[in-house]
Amino acid sequence: MISLKEIEKIYRTDKIETLALKEINLEIRKNEFVSIMGPSGCGKSTLLNIMGLLDKPSKGEVLIDSREVVKFGDRKLAAIRNSKIGFIFQSFHLINDLNVVDNVEIPLLYRRLSYKNRRKLALAALEKVGLSARTRHFPNQLSGGQRQRVAIARAIVGKPEIILADEPTGNLDSNMGQDIIDILHDFHKNENTTIVMVTHDEQIAKQTERILRLFDGCMVN
Amino acid sequence: MLKNYIKIAIKVLLRHKLFTFISLFGISFTLMILIIIVSLVDHTFGKMAPETRLDRTLSATYFKFSHTDKHSSSNGPIMSYYFFHKYAKTLEIPKKVSISSFHKNVETYKENKKFKMALKYCDAEFWEILDFTFLEGQPFNLTDVENINPVAVITRNVKEKYFNDEFCLGENMMIDGINYIILGVVENISILRPLPYSDIWVPITNINEDLLEPRLEAVSFPSYFALALAEKPADLPLIKEEFQNKITQMEFFNDMFNQLEGGFETYFETIAGVLFGRSSDGGANTSGLLVTILITMILFMLLPTINLVNINISRIMERSTEIGIRKAFGASSVTLVGQFMIENIIITLIGGFLALIFSIVILHIINQAHVLRHVTLAINWRIFYKSLLICLFFSLFSGVWPAFKMSRFQPVEALRGGQS
């Protein structure tokens, strides 16, 4: 589903160069639930961002469904992100000016769908995460757990084949965190979705099918 | 999608009340001034009664005498009736040519009350070239002019003041020792329309001078001007050329001058000629006037536009997380530029709407204060469209740069708040 070949990522400023990822080779198979672990600053999020086409590697190839995508233009990359990938971020990244259902609808805005269809799909996604009663609320009227559910609903509303979750439980207490992981597991099982999740939490990582470990920008066994 | 954009645009505007106020104030105040200026320009140069045939009409008003060897010159609206009678009335291309005086101020008395009014001497063709709105009666004709009949056409304002708004056709009015009989009443004429402007119009033959005395400059004030009506707009350059050919063979009656500049022009050309001079062939420097108007307008709009660009950059940078989110979920840079342009257009249209309301109020105040005689400034559809175009220029100009800057972000940079 996703292949990374010889990926390298260097951050350059006027004075220093920082090697964030070095010679990363990995394969994520279809319907896999993988977690990525490692200490802070080891490059976990950078790796996830490159997989999700949110960032470009300094070197190497990214293949999605066997297609090399690094050299794709803005429009093509946007179309792949829209149709194939759903993101869940640690800090939720909801738009505070929009209510819950409008936030969930965002990925559908960039597809050829009528308002009625978009609403229907957004409400169905909210039902799946148990937030049907909060559709008209604004993000700042919700708890952390509820916000992350909205973010999950937004990630799944377009029925993507891949979900990339960057520390989805990082800002939540353990109970709420487990609820979120349960939702992801349900989705993985019922919709056959490939999930790649960055986490610090060993207990949560153990619930996934495979754990990848990073240290100083390199994959370790 | 549009509904979503509008929703978020309104939310953003409400969230940043100070930014919104500064933006709206900048847009609406500048546009209001522009609308008022455009309204004045339109009132001065645009097509309106009685000058409804501007596309087919030329006037000869401003001339300059000079000498190739001497430092003597004389310029302005200075020409005599004889000059136009000999060189303009004899033109063959125009459909009609009229000779009239510029208005002069006169005083008249009724029941121990003094009335100050503008008086213009004109011929019968004057009423045929210009399109006056007659409220009552009719204009005087060729017979009245030839027979030196003491007849007059007055404005609605004169009727209201001098005749207490009562029926006045056939009534008398004593001006400069002549008892004129009122033949017609026309709608008031704006002072910004100097060629048709007056309060009272009488046959040109009633003027107390020998009109056909051979001289080029008018003997005294008021001097004269000519109007020429062409069959079709394409004839205008031919009329200009025909007149120029005639005056090149002109006889100067003294050795003070041996050159004459000026001729039949549009009103815009006349103003351009007065303000920016003429080329060696006597043509008015209209491009100078146009460039000045354009530069003034651009400079006037530049400041609020720079202000808007600045505000837009801060507004867009502040929303970089939103940009990152939208990019992450499939928005392309082009789509996002479109979104921000729509937001800009919304704020500009709100500013434009406010500017229109303010302009209506200000124009109403100007009209009520009677700062300029019989000048009724109004926002007509033409001005409204021009204002909308100005609005669009504002929104595009102030939105393009920040939107372009924003579209360069990688999604991950945008999510980090615009930092790479």
Side-chain angles (χ1 to χ4, degrees), chain A residues 11 49 54-55 74 78 81-82 87 89 93 95 97 102 107 109-110 115 118 138 154, chain B residues 1 3-4 7 11 15 321-322 325-333 411-412 415-416:
Chain A
Y11 290 109
N49 289 336
L54 298 181
D55 203 356
D74 177 72
R81 285 195 294 266
N82 183 249
F87 294 94
F89 304 99
H93 282 328
I95 299 175
D97 289 318
D102 286 337
L109 291 176
Y110 309 111
Y115 171 77
R118 289 201 309 263
F138 285 87
R154 180 181 60 186
Chain B
M1 193 186 284
K3 196 176 165 189
N4 190 284
K7 213 185 259 184
K11 286 275 171 59
R15 191 175 57 193
T321 308
E322 180 194 330
I325 295 166
R326 289 187 184 270
K327 281 198 156 195
F329 286 98
S332 66
S333 297
V412 71
L415 284 167
R416 284 190 202 125

mmCIF file of all heavy atoms in Angstrom, chain A residues 11 49 54-55 74 78 81-82 87 89 93 95 97 102 107 109-110 115 118 138 154, chain B residues 1 3-4 7 11 15 321-322 325-333 411-412 415-416:
data_model
loop_
_atom_site.group_PDB
_atom_site.id
_atom_site.type_symbol
_atom_site.label_atom_id
_atom_site.label_comp_id
_atom_site.label_asym_id
_atom_site.label_seq_id
_atom_site.Cartn_x
_atom_site.Cartn_y
_atom_site.Cartn_z
ATOM 1 N N TYR A 11 16.551 19.003 7.393
ATOM 2 C CA TYR A 11 16.050 20.365 7.599
ATOM 3 C C TYR A 11 17.249 21.296 7.557
ATOM 4 O O TYR A 11 18.221 21.105 8.284
ATOM 5 C CB TYR A 11 15.331 20.494 8.945
ATOM 6 C CG TYR A 11 14.007 19.758 8.964
ATOM 7 C CD1 TYR A 11 13.848 18.593 9.709
ATOM 8 C CD2 TYR A 11 12.939 20.223 8.226
ATOM 9 C CE1 TYR A 11 12.644 17.907 9.722
ATOM 10 C CE2 TYR A 11 11.721 19.547 8.224
ATOM 11 C CZ TYR A 11 11.584 18.395 8.974
ATOM 12 O OH TYR A 11 10.395 17.730 8.972
ATOM 13 N N ASN A 49 4.390 12.370 8.154
ATOM 14 C CA ASN A 49 4.060 13.458 7.230
ATOM 15 C C ASN A 49 4.497 13.138 5.801
ATOM 16 O O ASN A 49 3.798 13.484 4.844
ATOM 17 C CB ASN A 49 4.733 14.768 7.670
ATOM 18 C CG ASN A 49 4.089 15.329 8.929
ATOM 19 O OD1 ASN A 49 2.925 15.039 9.223
ATOM 20 N ND2 ASN A 49 4.836 16.106 9.691
ATOM 21 N N LEU A 54 2.249 15.190 3.233
ATOM 22 C CA LEU A 54 2.163 16.541 3.795
ATOM 23 C C LEU A 54 3.520 17.236 3.703
ATOM 24 O O LEU A 54 3.624 18.440 3.857
ATOM 25 C CB LEU A 54 1.733 16.498 5.268
ATOM 26 C CG LEU A 54 0.362 15.905 5.571
ATOM 27 C CD1 LEU A 54 0.080 15.961 7.079
ATOM 28 C CD2 LEU A 54 -0.737 16.652 4.830
ATOM 29 N N ASP A 55 4.559 16.438 3.482
ATOM 30 C CA ASP A 55 5.914 16.974 3.408
ATOM 31 C C ASP A 55 6.665 16.170 2.338
ATOM 32 O O ASP A 55 6.268 15.050 2.015
ATOM 33 C CB ASP A 55 6.598 16.808 4.777
ATOM 34 C CG ASP A 55 7.728 17.806 4.960
ATOM 35 O OD1 ASP A 55 8.021 18.560 4.009
ATOM 36 O OD2 ASP A 55 8.320 17.831 6.065
ATOM 37 N N ASP A 74 1.113 19.899 -7.142
ATOM 38 C CA ASP A 74 0.220 20.242 -6.028
ATOM 39 C C ASP A 74 -1.180 19.639 -6.179
ATOM 40 O O ASP A 74 -1.733 19.072 -5.253
ATOM 41 C CB ASP A 74 0.159 21.773 -5.930
ATOM 42 C CG ASP A 74 -0.783 22.244 -4.868
ATOM 43 O OD1 ASP A 74 -0.447 22.101 -3.689
ATOM 44 O OD2 ASP A 74 -1.884 22.737 -5.209
ATOM 45 N N ALA A 78 -2.852 16.791 -3.847
ATOM 46 C CA ALA A 78 -4.080 17.134 -3.118
ATOM 47 C C ALA A 78 -5.158 16.088 -3.388
ATOM 48 O O ALA A 78 -5.886 15.671 -2.476
ATOM 49 C CB ALA A 78 -4.555 18.529 -3.534
ATOM 50 N N ARG A 81 -4.330 12.899 -1.418
ATOM 51 C CA ARG A 81 -4.640 13.097 0.012
ATOM 52 C C ARG A 81 -6.140 13.036 0.237
ATOM 53 O O ARG A 81 -6.624 12.473 1.213
ATOM 54 C CB ARG A 81 -4.097 14.457 0.486
ATOM 55 C CG ARG A 81 -2.596 14.499 0.690
ATOM 56 C CD ARG A 81 -2.183 15.717 1.497
ATOM 57 N NE ARG A 81 -2.421 16.958 0.792
ATOM 58 C CZ ARG A 81 -1.511 17.594 0.039
ATOM 59 N NH1 ARG A 81 -0.294 17.087 -0.095
ATOM 60 N NH2 ARG A 81 -1.811 18.711 -0.565
ATOM 61 N N ASN A 82 -6.880 13.654 -0.689
ATOM 62 C CA ASN A 82 -8.326 13.720 -0.523
ATOM 63 C C ASN A 82 -8.991 12.362 -0.667
ATOM 64 O O ASN A 82 -9.887 12.007 0.100
ATOM 65 C CB ASN A 82 -8.911 14.701 -1.544
ATOM 66 C CG ASN A 82 -10.398 14.883 -1.378
ATOM 67 O OD1 ASN A 82 -11.185 14.472 -2.215
ATOM 68 N ND2 ASN A 82 -10.789 15.467 -0.263
ATOM 69 N N PHE A 87 -6.319 11.971 8.012
ATOM 70 C CA PHE A 87 -5.344 12.299 9.058
ATOM 71 C C PHE A 87 -6.020 12.511 10.407
ATOM 72 O O PHE A 87 -7.102 13.095 10.486
ATOM 73 C CB PHE A 87 -4.602 13.603 8.701
ATOM 74 C CG PHE A 87 -3.739 13.482 7.472
ATOM 75 C CD1 PHE A 87 -4.249 13.839 6.222
ATOM 76 C CD2 PHE A 87 -2.441 13.019 7.554
ATOM 77 C CE1 PHE A 87 -3.475 13.725 5.094
ATOM 78 C CE2 PHE A 87 -1.665 12.909 6.421
ATOM 79 C CZ PHE A 87 -2.171 13.263 5.181
ATOM 80 N N PHE A 89 -4.659 14.187 14.083
ATOM 81 C CA PHE A 89 -3.507 14.857 14.686
ATOM 82 C C PHE A 89 -3.618 14.873 16.211
ATOM 83 O O PHE A 89 -4.725 14.853 16.757
ATOM 84 C CB PHE A 89 -3.414 16.307 14.195
ATOM 85 C CG PHE A 89 -3.342 16.427 12.690
ATOM 86 C CD1 PHE A 89 -4.482 16.721 11.940
ATOM 87 C CD2 PHE A 89 -2.143 16.241 12.029
ATOM 88 C CE1 PHE A 89 -4.417 16.841 10.561
ATOM 89 C CE2 PHE A 89 -2.077 16.356 10.636
ATOM 90 C CZ PHE A 89 -3.217 16.649 9.908
ATOM 91 N N HIS A 93 -6.505 19.727 15.500
ATOM 92 C CA HIS A 93 -6.553 20.592 14.311
ATOM 93 C C HIS A 93 -7.966 20.700 13.736
ATOM 94 O O HIS A 93 -8.199 20.408 12.556
ATOM 95 C CB HIS A 93 -5.586 20.096 13.233
ATOM 96 C CG HIS A 93 -4.153 20.464 13.502
ATOM 97 N ND1 HIS A 93 -3.778 21.624 14.162
ATOM 98 C CD2 HIS A 93 -2.990 19.834 13.209
ATOM 99 C CE1 HIS A 93 -2.464 21.678 14.243
ATOM 100 N NE2 HIS A 93 -1.958 20.593 13.697
ATOM 101 N N ILE A 95 -11.213 23.338 12.925
ATOM 102 C CA ILE A 95 -11.365 24.777 12.643
ATOM 103 C C ILE A 95 -12.418 25.321 13.611
ATOM 104 O O ILE A 95 -13.590 24.929 13.560
ATOM 105 C CB ILE A 95 -11.771 25.010 11.171
ATOM 106 C CG1 ILE A 95 -10.665 24.460 10.253
ATOM 107 C CG2 ILE A 95 -12.010 26.491 10.902
ATOM 108 C CD1 ILE A 95 -10.988 24.523 8.773
ATOM 109 N N ASP A 97 -13.898 28.059 13.903
ATOM 110 C CA ASP A 97 -14.995 28.879 13.393
ATOM 111 C C ASP A 97 -16.122 28.055 12.783
ATOM 112 O O ASP A 97 -17.165 28.593 12.439
ATOM 113 C CB ASP A 97 -14.469 29.855 12.330
ATOM 114 C CG ASP A 97 -13.631 30.940 12.962
ATOM 115 O OD1 ASP A 97 -14.034 31.441 14.015
ATOM 116 O OD2 ASP A 97 -12.559 31.267 12.409
ATOM 117 N N ASP A 102 -19.725 20.824 10.133
ATOM 118 C CA ASP A 102 -18.982 21.523 9.065
ATOM 119 C C ASP A 102 -17.512 21.095 9.056
ATOM 120 O O ASP A 102 -16.902 20.983 7.989
ATOM 121 C CB ASP A 102 -19.074 23.051 9.241
ATOM 122 C CG ASP A 102 -20.439 23.585 8.853
ATOM 123 O OD1 ASP A 102 -21.125 22.907 8.069
ATOM 124 O OD2 ASP A 102 -20.820 24.666 9.339
ATOM 125 N N PRO A 107 -13.235 17.277 4.145
ATOM 126 C CA PRO A 107 -12.677 16.497 3.028
ATOM 127 C C PRO A 107 -13.656 16.358 1.863
ATOM 128 O O PRO A 107 -13.232 16.239 0.712
ATOM 129 C CB PRO A 107 -12.397 15.123 3.659
ATOM 130 C CG PRO A 107 -12.368 15.360 5.122
ATOM 131 C CD PRO A 107 -13.286 16.499 5.391
ATOM 132 N N LEU A 109 -15.702 18.615 0.799
ATOM 133 C CA LEU A 109 -15.834 19.867 0.045
ATOM 134 C C LEU A 109 -15.036 19.816 -1.245
ATOM 135 O O LEU A 109 -15.356 20.498 -2.205
ATOM 136 C CB LEU A 109 -15.308 21.053 0.873
ATOM 137 C CG LEU A 109 -16.103 21.466 2.099
ATOM 138 C CD1 LEU A 109 -15.372 22.582 2.822
ATOM 139 C CD2 LEU A 109 -17.489 21.930 1.709
ATOM 140 N N TYR A 110 -13.976 18.992 -1.229
ATOM 141 C CA TYR A 110 -13.094 18.952 -2.398
ATOM 142 C C TYR A 110 -13.408 17.763 -3.308
ATOM 143 O O TYR A 110 -12.577 17.309 -4.067
ATOM 144 C CB TYR A 110 -11.630 18.959 -1.923
ATOM 145 C CG TYR A 110 -11.404 20.090 -0.936
ATOM 146 C CD1 TYR A 110 -11.154 19.845 0.409
ATOM 147 C CD2 TYR A 110 -11.520 21.409 -1.357
ATOM 148 C CE1 TYR A 110 -11.004 20.890 1.311
ATOM 149 C CE2 TYR A 110 -11.380 22.458 -0.463
ATOM 150 C CZ TYR A 110 -11.126 22.196 0.872
ATOM 151 O OH TYR A 110 -10.997 23.234 1.752
ATOM 152 N N TYR A 115 -24.508 19.218 -1.532
ATOM 153 C CA TYR A 115 -24.589 19.601 -0.119
ATOM 154 C C TYR A 115 -25.321 18.512 0.680
ATOM 155 O O TYR A 115 -24.890 18.128 1.769
ATOM 156 C CB TYR A 115 -25.310 20.946 -0.007
ATOM 157 C CG TYR A 115 -25.653 21.349 1.408
ATOM 158 C CD1 TYR A 115 -24.659 21.844 2.247
ATOM 159 C CD2 TYR A 115 -26.947 21.193 1.908
ATOM 160 C CE1 TYR A 115 -24.953 22.203 3.555
ATOM 161 C CE2 TYR A 115 -27.246 21.547 3.216
ATOM 162 C CZ TYR A 115 -26.252 22.046 4.037
ATOM 163 O OH TYR A 115 -26.543 22.388 5.326
ATOM 164 N N ARG A 118 -23.145 15.463 1.176
ATOM 165 C CA ARG A 118 -22.056 15.754 2.123
ATOM 166 C C ARG A 118 -22.583 15.700 3.555
ATOM 167 O O ARG A 118 -21.979 15.107 4.441
ATOM 168 C CB ARG A 118 -21.472 17.153 1.851
ATOM 169 C CG ARG A 118 -20.667 17.256 0.578
ATOM 170 C CD ARG A 118 -19.722 18.440 0.639
ATOM 171 N NE ARG A 118 -20.349 19.681 1.016
ATOM 172 C CZ ARG A 118 -20.756 20.607 0.157
ATOM 173 N NH1 ARG A 118 -20.607 20.422 -1.133
ATOM 174 N NH2 ARG A 118 -21.304 21.721 0.598
ATOM 175 N N PHE A 138 -19.640 23.821 18.647
ATOM 176 C CA PHE A 138 -18.357 24.279 18.109
ATOM 177 C C PHE A 138 -17.226 23.592 18.881
ATOM 178 O O PHE A 138 -17.427 23.213 20.048
ATOM 179 C CB PHE A 138 -18.249 25.806 18.210
ATOM 180 C CG PHE A 138 -19.096 26.483 17.163
ATOM 181 C CD1 PHE A 138 -20.436 26.760 17.400
ATOM 182 C CD2 PHE A 138 -18.553 26.800 15.926
ATOM 183 C CE1 PHE A 138 -21.221 27.339 16.419
ATOM 184 C CE2 PHE A 138 -19.327 27.383 14.949
ATOM 185 C CZ PHE A 138 -20.670 27.656 15.191
ATOM 186 N N ARG A 154 -13.859 13.204 10.865
ATOM 187 C CA ARG A 154 -13.371 13.928 9.682
ATOM 188 C C ARG A 154 -12.412 13.042 8.872
ATOM 189 O O ARG A 154 -12.425 13.071 7.637
ATOM 190 C CB ARG A 154 -12.662 15.211 10.124
ATOM 191 C CG ARG A 154 -12.123 16.046 8.976
ATOM 192 C CD ARG A 154 -11.422 17.282 9.483
ATOM 193 N NE ARG A 154 -10.302 16.929 10.347
ATOM 194 C CZ ARG A 154 -9.575 17.810 11.024
ATOM 195 N NH1 ARG A 154 -9.860 19.099 10.951
ATOM 196 N NH2 ARG A 154 -8.580 17.428 11.796
ATOM 197 N N MET B 1 -19.812 24.288 -1.161
ATOM 198 C CA MET B 1 -18.498 24.810 -0.826
ATOM 199 C C MET B 1 -18.554 26.318 -0.592
ATOM 200 O O MET B 1 -18.002 26.840 0.357
ATOM 201 C CB MET B 1 -17.511 24.485 -1.960
ATOM 202 C CG MET B 1 -16.071 24.722 -1.554
ATOM 203 S SD MET B 1 -14.911 24.518 -2.893
ATOM 204 C CE MET B 1 -14.823 22.743 -3.027
ATOM 205 N N LYS B 3 -21.047 28.084 0.355
ATOM 206 C CA LYS B 3 -21.738 28.369 1.622
ATOM 207 C C LYS B 3 -20.737 28.251 2.776
ATOM 208 O O LYS B 3 -20.736 29.089 3.693
ATOM 209 C CB LYS B 3 -22.879 27.352 1.783
ATOM 210 C CG LYS B 3 -23.910 27.751 2.820
ATOM 211 C CD LYS B 3 -25.031 26.753 2.826
ATOM 212 C CE LYS B 3 -25.871 26.916 4.070
ATOM 213 N NZ LYS B 3 -26.822 25.823 4.205
ATOM 214 N N ASN B 4 -19.907 27.214 2.704
ATOM 215 C CA ASN B 4 -18.897 26.991 3.737
ATOM 216 C C ASN B 4 -17.924 28.167 3.783
ATOM 217 O O ASN B 4 -17.574 28.672 4.849
ATOM 218 C CB ASN B 4 -18.157 25.686 3.385
ATOM 219 C CG ASN B 4 -17.238 25.200 4.491
ATOM 220 O OD1 ASN B 4 -16.174 25.754 4.674
ATOM 221 N ND2 ASN B 4 -17.671 24.187 5.219
ATOM 222 N N LYS B 7 -19.655 31.237 5.194
ATOM 223 C CA LYS B 7 -19.845 31.047 6.631
ATOM 224 C C LYS B 7 -18.550 31.389 7.369
ATOM 225 O O LYS B 7 -18.543 32.163 8.327
ATOM 226 C CB LYS B 7 -20.206 29.568 6.867
ATOM 227 C CG LYS B 7 -21.156 29.343 8.031
ATOM 228 C CD LYS B 7 -21.344 27.858 8.251
ATOM 229 C CE LYS B 7 -22.612 27.318 7.683
ATOM 230 N NZ LYS B 7 -22.807 25.893 8.002
ATOM 231 N N LYS B 11 -17.539 34.496 9.954
ATOM 232 C CA LYS B 11 -17.006 34.181 11.288
ATOM 233 C C LYS B 11 -15.689 34.920 11.518
ATOM 234 O O LYS B 11 -15.468 35.505 12.582
ATOM 235 C CB LYS B 11 -16.763 32.676 11.412
ATOM 236 C CG LYS B 11 -18.015 31.857 11.555
ATOM 237 C CD LYS B 11 -18.446 31.798 13.006
ATOM 238 C CE LYS B 11 -19.807 31.180 13.162
ATOM 239 N NZ LYS B 11 -19.877 29.809 12.642
ATOM 240 N N ARG B 15 -14.869 37.684 14.281
ATOM 241 C CA ARG B 15 -13.894 37.354 15.321
ATOM 242 C C ARG B 15 -12.876 38.480 15.485
ATOM 243 O O ARG B 15 -12.490 38.817 16.585
ATOM 244 C CB ARG B 15 -13.182 36.053 14.923
ATOM 245 C CG ARG B 15 -12.337 35.473 16.038
ATOM 246 C CD ARG B 15 -11.764 34.155 15.625
ATOM 247 N NE ARG B 15 -10.980 34.266 14.413
ATOM 248 C CZ ARG B 15 -10.569 33.233 13.685
ATOM 249 N NH1 ARG B 15 -10.888 32.022 14.039
ATOM 250 N NH2 ARG B 15 -9.859 33.405 12.594
ATOM 251 N N THR B 321 -2.955 27.428 10.127
ATOM 252 C CA THR B 321 -3.364 26.077 10.556
ATOM 253 C C THR B 321 -4.572 25.616 9.750
ATOM 254 O O THR B 321 -4.632 24.470 9.298
ATOM 255 C CB THR B 321 -3.693 26.061 12.061
ATOM 256 O OG1 THR B 321 -2.598 26.636 12.742
ATOM 257 C CG2 THR B 321 -3.936 24.656 12.572
ATOM 258 N N GLU B 322 -5.516 26.529 9.569
ATOM 259 C CA GLU B 322 -6.699 26.181 8.768
ATOM 260 C C GLU B 322 -6.271 25.803 7.349
ATOM 261 O O GLU B 322 -6.787 24.844 6.763
ATOM 262 C CB GLU B 322 -7.668 27.369 8.725
ATOM 263 C CG GLU B 322 -8.907 27.054 7.906
ATOM 264 C CD GLU B 322 -9.736 28.272 7.551
ATOM 265 O OE1 GLU B 322 -9.720 29.236 8.334
ATOM 266 O OE2 GLU B 322 -10.380 28.249 6.493
ATOM 267 N N ILE B 325 -4.857 22.374 7.476
ATOM 268 C CA ILE B 325 -5.915 21.359 7.611
ATOM 269 C C ILE B 325 -6.571 21.127 6.256
ATOM 270 O O ILE B 325 -6.752 19.995 5.808
ATOM 271 C CB ILE B 325 -6.980 21.816 8.644
ATOM 272 C CG1 ILE B 325 -6.365 21.902 10.043
ATOM 273 C CG2 ILE B 325 -8.186 20.882 8.639
ATOM 274 C CD1 ILE B 325 -7.216 22.643 11.061
ATOM 275 N N ARG B 326 -6.912 22.219 5.599
ATOM 276 C CA ARG B 326 -7.607 22.080 4.308
ATOM 277 C C ARG B 326 -6.704 21.387 3.284
ATOM 278 O O ARG B 326 -7.166 20.566 2.502
ATOM 279 C CB ARG B 326 -8.066 23.449 3.805
ATOM 280 C CG ARG B 326 -9.229 24.008 4.625
ATOM 281 C CD ARG B 326 -9.795 25.262 4.030
ATOM 282 N NE ARG B 326 -10.835 25.834 4.873
ATOM 283 C CZ ARG B 326 -12.125 25.541 4.786
ATOM 284 N NH1 ARG B 326 -12.546 24.680 3.899
ATOM 285 N NH2 ARG B 326 -13.001 26.110 5.601
ATOM 286 N N LYS B 327 -5.412 21.737 3.312
ATOM 287 C CA LYS B 327 -4.485 21.071 2.371
ATOM 288 C C LYS B 327 -4.385 19.584 2.700
ATOM 289 O O LYS B 327 -4.372 18.750 1.802
ATOM 290 C CB LYS B 327 -3.105 21.716 2.452
ATOM 291 C CG LYS B 327 -3.008 23.026 1.677
ATOM 292 C CD LYS B 327 -1.566 23.399 1.406
ATOM 293 C CE LYS B 327 -1.491 24.313 0.202
ATOM 294 N NZ LYS B 327 -0.170 24.447 -0.333
ATOM 295 N N ALA B 328 -4.284 19.262 3.984
ATOM 296 C CA ALA B 328 -4.161 17.865 4.395
ATOM 297 C C ALA B 328 -5.360 17.047 3.918
ATOM 298 O O ALA B 328 -5.226 15.864 3.614
ATOM 299 C CB ALA B 328 -4.027 17.773 5.910
ATOM 300 N N PHE B 329 -6.531 17.683 3.875
ATOM 301 C CA PHE B 329 -7.731 16.929 3.500
ATOM 302 C C PHE B 329 -8.128 17.120 2.038
ATOM 303 O O PHE B 329 -9.256 16.850 1.663
ATOM 304 C CB PHE B 329 -8.885 17.254 4.446
ATOM 305 C CG PHE B 329 -8.685 16.618 5.789
ATOM 306 C CD1 PHE B 329 -8.159 17.336 6.850
ATOM 307 C CD2 PHE B 329 -8.948 15.266 5.976
ATOM 308 C CE1 PHE B 329 -7.933 16.742 8.077
ATOM 309 C CE2 PHE B 329 -8.721 14.657 7.207
ATOM 310 C CZ PHE B 329 -8.208 15.391 8.258
ATOM 311 N N GLY B 330 -7.185 17.633 1.241
ATOM 312 C CA GLY B 330 -7.424 17.579 -0.201
ATOM 313 C C GLY B 330 -7.582 18.897 -0.934
ATOM 314 O O GLY B 330 -7.860 18.884 -2.132
ATOM 315 N N ALA B 331 -7.417 20.033 -0.241
ATOM 316 C CA ALA B 331 -7.551 21.301 -0.967
ATOM 317 C C ALA B 331 -6.248 21.591 -1.705
ATOM 318 O O ALA B 331 -5.178 21.485 -1.115
ATOM 319 C CB ALA B 331 -7.848 22.430 -0.002
ATOM 320 N N SER B 332 -6.348 21.931 -2.973
ATOM 321 C CA SER B 332 -5.135 22.319 -3.709
ATOM 322 C C SER B 332 -4.888 23.813 -3.460
ATOM 323 O O SER B 332 -5.759 24.521 -2.963
ATOM 324 C CB SER B 332 -5.326 22.059 -5.195
ATOM 325 O OG SER B 332 -6.319 22.923 -5.686
ATOM 326 N N SER B 333 -3.692 24.262 -3.835
ATOM 327 C CA SER B 333 -3.368 25.677 -3.646
ATOM 328 C C SER B 333 -4.350 26.564 -4.402
ATOM 329 O O SER B 333 -4.793 27.592 -3.883
ATOM 330 C CB SER B 333 -1.960 25.960 -4.148
ATOM 331 O OG SER B 333 -1.052 25.218 -3.387
ATOM 332 N N PRO B 411 1.835 21.611 3.167
ATOM 333 C CA PRO B 411 0.805 21.439 4.208
ATOM 334 C C PRO B 411 1.400 21.396 5.615
ATOM 335 O O PRO B 411 0.850 22.003 6.545
ATOM 336 C CB PRO B 411 0.164 20.102 3.848
ATOM 337 C CG PRO B 411 0.461 19.892 2.419
ATOM 338 C CD PRO B 411 1.709 20.620 2.102
ATOM 339 N N VAL B 412 2.534 20.704 5.761
ATOM 340 C CA VAL B 412 3.099 20.563 7.102
ATOM 341 C C VAL B 412 3.597 21.910 7.643
ATOM 342 O O VAL B 412 3.468 22.196 8.834
ATOM 343 C CB VAL B 412 4.199 19.468 7.121
ATOM 344 C CG1 VAL B 412 5.449 19.914 6.379
ATOM 345 C CG2 VAL B 412 4.542 19.059 8.536
ATOM 346 N N LEU B 415 0.541 23.753 8.814
ATOM 347 C CA LEU B 415 0.049 23.228 10.095
ATOM 348 C C LEU B 415 0.904 23.712 11.262
ATOM 349 O O LEU B 415 0.421 23.878 12.375
ATOM 350 C CB LEU B 415 0.041 21.692 10.066
ATOM 351 C CG LEU B 415 -1.099 21.053 9.277
ATOM 352 C CD1 LEU B 415 -0.838 19.580 9.062
ATOM 353 C CD2 LEU B 415 -2.429 21.260 9.975
ATOM 354 N N ARG B 416 2.174 23.976 10.983
ATOM 355 C CA ARG B 416 3.062 24.483 12.045
ATOM 356 C C ARG B 416 2.937 25.994 12.211
ATOM 357 O O ARG B 416 3.705 26.589 12.931
ATOM 358 C CB ARG B 416 4.521 24.166 11.705
ATOM 359 C CG ARG B 416 4.905 22.725 11.929
ATOM 360 C CD ARG B 416 6.415 22.596 11.794
ATOM 361 N NE ARG B 416 6.767 21.235 11.479
ATOM 362 C CZ ARG B 416 7.490 20.874 10.422
ATOM 363 N NH1 ARG B 416 7.953 21.786 9.589
ATOM 364 N NH2 ARG B 416 7.754 19.603 10.200
#
